[in-house]
């Protein structure tokens, strides 16, 4: 599979890229009006250094494909979902983002009738193995609605550019997951008092092809593994896991980076130390413990655990044209690693004022919450609608990209869409 990707993700053509650079030099209300070609009612409030959403490319068209997903990488395969395609109550498998660290296993490695899951490790009281059929019979099945997000979602917005796949907003999905509580399986083996971490092992191959190397083997603290919502799953939205999403068995840890939720899992080790598997050391999935200077690496990194509060607008699609005579319904999703999102506010005057939205109660912890609002525009012209979530831990989305870090992790800046009111 070969994919030709633009060298500068985020902009549709050299002409628009030149327009972008020109805008950055000028900034302000007059510059944004010139850039979008129409009056901007709240242009005086536009912050310097931000690019109008209208100058960003349409993700689908820019890659010259009709497919719903945007391919970011081939080896390993990585793809994201445009924000406006995440409006379903439950993200269908066909629209779920894909993130791999290695080569996906071959079909003959994935026979569910022969699949075994082993619990072992220094801090497991006993070593036990289960077939997939035994897991489904011996343990109580559960279904949870859990947001799953790549730690690098939003990386493309960092300046200077951060290393890695240049995700915009689509490295997230909101399916339901069908399986059982990881805690039930761990307790059946017994967890010793000295347990610190659990780590997973899978059958996807290292990019080098070396059979002695794992593609990825990450983990979570024992307390996280024992949470009610930490799952071993075999299903997504009520049907078997798709191949690309871990068939026949994977892990789901809500509120943590998706890399912790291993796919194609065959073994879970209970460790008496922080798990030291592939992608757990060095700077993989780590952020500076005390921040860093833009463009300069830190010498003190901490493992990413709780993800920040976040929201996206899923309807309408950015760039629409709307009649001023009618209110515009705006919909979106918000999620957090705290217990719940407390509120989501919208702004159409570049953050000068904010209006509340109607927000649903989460089905369970780590479930996404839907927000809706009807927006009325005071005049014709170019607008941006910004969404800002606040969770019950008091965390609020920043208006602009948060502090730079080398890995490009944790960008939870407000999502913005463009609307042309006529």
């Amino acid at each position: 599979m070969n994919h030709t990707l633009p060298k500068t993700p985020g902009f549709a053509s050299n002409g628009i890229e030149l327009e972008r650079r020109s805008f950055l030099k000028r900034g302000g209300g007059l510059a944004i009006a010139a850039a979008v070609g129409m009056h901007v009612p709240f242009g005086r409030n536009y912050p310097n250094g931000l690019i109008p959403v209208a100058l960003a490319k349409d993700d689908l068209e820019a890659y010259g494909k009709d497919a719903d997903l945007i391919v970011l990488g081939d080896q390993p395969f990585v793809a994201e979902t445009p924000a406006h395609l995440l409006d379903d109550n439950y993200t269908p498998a066909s629209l779920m983002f894909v993130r791999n660290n290695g080569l996906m296993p071959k079909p003959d490695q994935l026979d569910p009738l022969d699949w075994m899951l082993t619990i072992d490790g220094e801090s497991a009281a006993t070593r036990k193995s289960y077939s997939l059929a035994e897991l489904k019979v011996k343990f109580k099945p559960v279904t949870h609605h859990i947001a799953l997000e790549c730690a690098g979602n939003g990386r493309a917005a960092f300046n200077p550019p951060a290393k890695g796949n240049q995700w915009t907003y689509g490295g997230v999905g909101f399916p339901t997951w069908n399986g059982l509580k990881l805690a039930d399986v761990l307790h059946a083996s017994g967890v010793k008092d000295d347990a610190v971490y659990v780590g997973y092992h899978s059958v996807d191959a290292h990019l080098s092809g070396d059979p002695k190397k794992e593609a990825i083997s990450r983990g979570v603290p024992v307390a996280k593994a024992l949470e009610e919502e930490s799952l071993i799953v075999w299903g997504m939205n009520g049907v078997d896991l798709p191949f690309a999403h871990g068939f026949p068995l994977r892990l789901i840890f809500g509120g943590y980076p998706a890399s912790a939720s291993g796919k194609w899992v065959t073994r879970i080790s209970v460790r008496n130390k922080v798990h030291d598997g592939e992608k757990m050391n060095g700077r993989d999935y780590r952020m500076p413990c005390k921040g860093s200077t833009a463009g300069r690496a830190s010498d003190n990194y901490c493992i990413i655990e709780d993800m920040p509060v976040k929201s996206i607008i899923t309807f309408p699609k950015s760039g629409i044209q709307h009649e001023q005579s009618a209110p515009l319904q705006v919909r979106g999703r918000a999620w957090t690693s705290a217990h719940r999102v407390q509120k989501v506010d919208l702004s159409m005057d570049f953050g000068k004022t904010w209006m509340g939205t109607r927000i649903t109660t989460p089905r369970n912890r780590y479930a996404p919450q839907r927000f809706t609002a009807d927006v009325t525009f005071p005049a014709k012209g170019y607008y941006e609608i910004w969404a800002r979530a606040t969770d019950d831990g008091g965390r609020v989305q920043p208006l602009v990209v948060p502090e730079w870090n080398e890995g490009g992790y944790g960008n939870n800046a407000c999502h913005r869409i463009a609307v042309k009111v006529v």
Side-chain angles (χ1 to χ4, degrees), residues 27 42 80 90 100 105 108 130 151-152 172 176 191 247 267 293-294 301 311 324-325 340 353 380 383:
F42 297 107
E80 71 168 318
Y90 308 108
N100 292 310
D108 60 7
Y130 303 92
V172 65
T176 59
V191 178
F247 174 85
R267 184 159 62 94
T293 303
Y301 284 80
S311 63
Q324 188 202 358
S325 58
R340 62 180 293 169
T353 62
K380 296 178 180 180
Y383 292 84

Side-chain angles (χ1 to χ4, degrees), residues 5 37 66 146 154 202 278 289-290 352 390:
L5 303 183
D66 295 328
I146 293 176
S202 310
E278 184 69 21
C289 301
K290 292 186 178 180
K352 182 73 172 180
T390 303

Side-chain angles (χ1 to χ4, degrees), residues 119 125-126 128 130 138-139 182-191:
I119 308 298
T126 58
K128 290 194 174 185
Y130 303 92
K138 290 187 175 183
F139 300 97
L182 173 58
D184 289 349
V185 179
L186 295 179
H187 287 315
S189 290
V191 178

Side-chain angles (χ1 to χ4, degrees), residues 144-161:
H144 286 311
H145 190 195
I146 293 176
L148 190 67
E149 182 182 17
C150 178
N153 195 25
R155 180 180 287 131
F158 280 102
N159 186 33

Side-chain angles (χ1 to χ4, degrees), residues 294-349:
R296 184 181 302 170
S298 170
D299 58 0
N300 188 16
Y301 284 80
C302 292
I303 297 170
I304 301 171
E305 294 185 346
D306 288 338
M307 294 282 280
V309 63
K310 204 161 183 178
S311 63
I312 56 172
I313 297 169
T314 58
F315 181 88
K317 180 180 178 181
S318 184
I320 67 157
Q321 186 167 291
H322 179 73
E323 297 280 346
Q324 188 202 358
S325 58
L328 174 66
Q329 185 180 79
V330 176
R331 298 193 297 266
R333 313 304 291 274
W335 63 100
T336 180
S337 57
H339 281 86
R340 62 180 293 169
V341 174
Q342 198 72 24
K343 64 176 183 174
V344 178
D345 297 314
L346 302 180
S347 177
M348 62 173 164
D349 56 8

Side-chain angles (χ1 to χ4, degrees), residues 400-412:
V400 295
V401 178
E403 189 171 27
W404 185 90
N405 66 88
E406 186 182 13
Y409 296 123
N411 177 16
N412 66 329

